[in-house]
Amino acid sequence: MQIGYSHDKRAYALCGVRLDGFVREDARRPGECIVTGMNSTPKTLYEKVWADHVVKSYEDGTDLLYVDRHLVQEVSSPQAFAGLEAAGRKIRRPDAHISVADHAVPTRDRAAALRDGLAARQVERLVQNTEKFGIPYIPMRDRRHGIVHVIGPELGFTLPGAVLVCGDSHTCTHGAFGAIAFGIGASECECVLATQTLRQRKQKTMRVLLEGRRPDGVEVKDFILAVISSIGVGGGVGYAIEYAGSAVRDLSMEQRMTLCNMSIEAGSRIGMVGPDDKTFDYLRGRPLAPAGQEWDAAVEAWRGLASEPDAVFDREVVIDVSTLAPFVSWGTTPEECSPITGRVPDPAEEPDDGRRRRLQRSLDYMALTPGMPLTDIRIDRVFIGSCTNGRIEDLRRAAAVVDGHRVADHVAAIVVPGSAAVRAQAEQEGLDRIFLEAGFEWRSSGCSMCVAMNDDRLSEGERCASTSNRNFEGRQGKGGRTHLMSPPMAAAAAISGRLADVRKLGI
Amino acid sequence: MKPFTTIESVAAFIDEDAIDTDIIFPARFLLLLDKAGLAKHAFHERRHAPALKQPFILDRAPFTAAEILVARKNFGTGSSREQAVWCLADFGIRCIIAESFGEIFFANCFKNGVLPIVKSGEELKAIRKAAGEEQKIEIDLVDRTIRFQDGRVMAFEVDDYRRDALLNGLDEIGSILRDDGDDIVRFEERQRGRSSWLHLDPQKLSTFADLGKEKILD
């Protein structure tokens, strides 16, 4: 072979040599080329991580998949621990789990005891279970507290090439690091605690290519809402998604987390991004990330995780992000969303029976009139936070819009940082002052008004501009109405008192 | 888990796409700690809506005794809460037939003796028709068939191992521990050699030594 050292198969292809295997990282000298796995099918990122975790394959085509990491929270774990205890079983690997209460915890008056008796009992049960079974529990008032999907990466618990699960559907967030990460039910949590494995069938693969330059005012939240409205809430069922393309490479790690986070809203339990230098820079020095020689070995292995250039995906979706505008949802599923420049759709124009009924039901619940401009929708509340958009970059971008303005008189607005670390960082940067002076409340970390299990919730009929991930009926409180959008768009809505195009605020 | 072989019952048809798990089991009831007794919270908002013209289908005879639920697209989409299955199982639902399901909900069904069946097009229409006519439908998991009152038979698909687990009321964790324990040990040894960073040693975990002792935040 007459070419120099390269790990890029396309370079070899230029010389008329086709390689079907992996070019190993230990080809270090010019002219040397070690190729393994010749003639094997080129693999995707998902397939590589999957293959790395197959404990055994069963005759029916399912695999016993090894689970490296498990995040435990208060809502999906009590029944799992109870099952474990009833069967007299232990946790197989206590070092593979960390726990935190995020759903039910209050986001103000943390020093006071939990006022809600049921919430207090649920959090207390998690404390008891984690003590009994010997896994770390991060208390509500610890500097490391936060939403599971925010603190996993912060701690370096989330790593490329790992299989990570949690009894929460937004576990797909961690796929931003090149991990296979997915949400599971309580029974599966029990299985992971006892066996460190799950019996699974490999998913089909879908590549979502995001190409082009992101226009000003358009956020990664708009990318994912565009994807969901394009393929539908069932479009990803049965698939593991990989996000790729120039617009994805350009994203920061926090933006990639937002992107992967809402894969489940497109129906897919799994959304991934191939790890690169940004991934490694984010993780370097995190408390639970490898260090020293182990770090070097890990990075070398992680560099080999990328999907091979000629790997074949079962489905491919391409979106040119340069044509996107900021999105808002107007219905009660995340696919029911449109560019802010649009209007509320008219059910009379929908030919399909089922869809028309569904659309009419959405508009009835949302109390919207067909054909009205989206910017005419008046709001009562604003929520900035959640595992989708509760990270420091989200707060910076929202604060940039808010700075020097006032929240509209009739609007109650809160900012709930995704973790105590995010809150501390924001305070160091003075973002809390910007929000407070504008009339926002500045809260402590938790899921808060994304799931309305604590006292942060909408009243019957209230309408909220929200950076969270679900606009289901009652999601933010019984009878509450949710409009999903990016943090700058939620900030613009807070100032305007109605849904607003952040690009037109002149900020 | 209660073994599943054959059931025969009227089927309650919920005529709506994308019934998410928040509709099936609203989040505020997630603070409850037990699996049992959740039926009263199933579809809570739908059953207690002030504008109801007639009771919600599961509160109307003969569907109060329905063991089969028929739905449209994307049933059980959304949150991973297994309570959405527990409350339906507690109500007496043993089988759900829909055009498609939320994946986590689908997997959760099998862990709780509930059989989800995917059907679409003309077949789903026939099932909906029978449901609307309050006919009893028989679901036979042994034969993998749906039988109608008029003698028609329709086949359905289900994963072999999931079918076995339902038929035998299998304890999946028990069987993995019994049959696959050695394989897991061998895998872990291999992985420790190859990707040691995936195993957290006491030195790394010492970052948690101050948990609960650390200066607390307000």
Side-chain angles (χ1 to χ4, degrees), chain A residues 361-383:
Chain A
R361 192 184 163 92
S362 286
L363 298 193
D364 290 347
Y365 182 86
M366 294 298 290
L368 296 174
T369 313
M372 76 187 278
L374 293 170
T375 46
D376 279 358
I377 299 174
R378 190 180 146 99
I379 55 154
D380 309 297
R381 308 276 293 268
V382 172
F383 169 60

Side-chain angles (χ1 to χ4, degrees), chain A residues 58 66 141 143 187 238 294, chain B residues 82 103 180 188 196 214 218:
Chain A
Y58 300 98
Y66 195 76
R141 294 167 69 199
R143 64 188 157 83
S187 296
E294 198 178 44
Chain B
E82 200 161 320
E103 284 189 346
D180 306 326
E188 285 174 337
S196 57
E214 170 72 6
D218 289 326

Side-chain angles (χ1 to χ4, degrees), chain B residues 12 51 62 66 128 172 217:
Chain B
R128 277 160 48 179
E172 190 180 22
L217 308 165

Side-chain angles (χ1 to χ4, degrees), chain B residues 5-7 138-147 156:
Chain B
T5 48
T6 303
I7 59 167
E138 191 183 322
I139 310 286
D140 188 333
L141 183 57
V142 182
D143 287 355
R144 304 171 201 237
T145 53
I146 302 170
R147 280 190 217 101
F156 66 83

Side-chain angles (χ1 to χ4, degrees), chain B:
Chain B
M1 197 168 77
K2 201 162 135 194
F4 185 125
T5 48
T6 303
I7 59 167
E8 190 182 8
S9 142
V10 290
F13 173 44
I14 299 185
D15 186 12
E16 205 181 312
D17 282 346
I19 293 283
D20 58 65
T21 55
D22 277 77
I23 294 176
I24 302 171
F25 194 86
R28 65 184 185 282
F29 303 113
L30 291 174
L31 292 171
L32 302 169
L33 296 174
D34 297 317
K35 293 183 185 184
L38 299 181
K40 60 176 176 287
H41 304 302
F43 293 100
H44 192 277
E45 261 59 283
R46 294 296 163 98
R47 293 163 84 178
H48 300 282
L52 274 188
K53 294 188 191 88
Q54 58 173 342
F56 185 68
I57 187 157
L58 293 177
D59 293 324
R60 285 202 308 264
F63 302 110
T64 46
E67 294 181 39
I68 303 167
L69 212 57
V70 181
R72 297 174 60 103
K73 268 189 286 197
N74 295 314
F75 188 83
T77 185
S79 143
S80 62
R81 62 191 68 171
E82 200 161 320
Q83 284 84 350
V85 178
W86 295 334
C87 73
L88 295 179
D90 187 44
F91 183 88
I93 301 294
R94 304 295 312 278
C95 174
I96 306 170
I97 306 171
E99 200 172 324
S100 56
F101 289 89
E103 284 189 346
I104 306 174
F105 178 88
F106 189 81
N108 287 342
C109 283
F110 288 99
K111 313 290 181 192
N112 295 282
V114 176
L115 169 67
I117 297 176
V118 176
K119 280 287 168 203
S120 58
E122 291 304 313
E123 289 190 317
L124 186 59
K125 260 190 203 157
I127 295 165
R128 277 160 48 179
K129 185 161 177 289
E133 291 167 359
E134 302 183 10
Q135 286 182 32
K136 285 199 172 174
I137 298 172
E138 191 183 322
I139 310 286
D140 188 333
L141 183 57
V142 182
D143 287 355
R144 304 171 201 237
T145 53
I146 302 170
R147 280 190 217 101
F148 297 89
Q149 295 276 290
D150 62 7
R152 277 177 308 156
V153 178
M154 196 184 278
F156 66 83
E157 285 178 27
V158 55
D159 263 354
D160 283 344
Y161 89 97
R162 287 172 148 163
R163 174 173 166 270
D164 290 347
L166 283 180
L167 286 174
N168 304 315
L170 188 70
D171 166 19
E172 190 180 22
I173 297 175
S175 79
I176 292 174
L177 290 173
R178 187 183 61 240
D179 301 336
D180 306 326
D182 293 343
D183 292 299
I184 299 172
V185 170
R186 275 195 295 275
F187 177 91
E188 285 174 337
E189 282 168 2
R190 248 188 354 256
Q191 195 195 44
R192 261 179 220 280
R194 190 183 59 188
S195 317
S196 57
W197 53 88
L198 290 174
H199 295 253
L200 289 170
D201 55 34
Q203 193 197 331
K204 282 201 205 83
L205 285 168
S206 68
T207 189
F208 290 133
D210 62 349
L211 277 178
K213 298 172 196 130
E214 170 72 6
K215 175 187 163 292
I216 50 183
L217 308 165
D218 289 326

